[in-house]
Every structure is written in C-alpha cells, then in structure tokens.
Amino acid sequence: MTSYERQNWIINIENSAAAVESYLGSAVVKSVFERYGAHEIQDLNPSDLPNVFSDLYAIEVDMD
C-alpha cells in the first residue's frame, strides 16, 4: 500500500468514524477499532484499513 492509499483510507475512516460517533457514540467506534487490535486509527495495521472502513461504513449506512 502506498502512503497515498494509506492516507486515503485514514481520511475515509475518520469521516465514517465521526459520523458514527456523532449518532451512536464513541463506544461504537472504539469497538470497531478494538476488533482489529487498535485503540485509535494510527494503531491500525495498514492491511486492516479497508476492513475497518467497511465495518464503519456499514454502520453509517444502517443509521439512515
């Protein structure tokens, strides 16, 4: 993964995490990160970034 791709995943995760947190609270976002052994975005393994985004985005879509 290039640094550009990594940065794009992080931006997407931050945006989805903010939406989920504003609607459902930080505990939901924290639980997604913890499934991947992380406490915050910077702790995530780069190979997990697409899956973390997918999980957060699925939650975000279900909020509508």
Side-chain angles (χ1 to χ4, degrees):
M1 173 180 301
T2 67
S3 62
Y4 177 78
E5 290 170 323
R6 178 172 159 51
Q7 190 58 35
N8 275 342
W9 283 120
I10 289 172
I11 289 168
N12 290 334
I13 290 169
E14 288 173 339
N15 290 337
S16 282
V20 170
E21 184 174 350
S22 72
Y23 194 76
L24 300 173
S26 62
V28 175
V29 175
K30 183 179 176 183
S31 72
V32 172
F33 288 165
E34 287 176 349
R35 275 186 250 153
Y36 295 91
H39 296 287
E40 58 186 39
I41 293 172
Q42 300 306 322
D43 296 337
L44 291 167
N45 185 315
S47 65
D48 290 331
L49 294 176
N51 293 330
V52 172
F53 172 70
S54 180
D55 290 355
L56 286 169
Y57 188 72
I59 294 168
E60 185 179 356
V61 168
D62 284 344
M63 294 183 323
D64 289 337

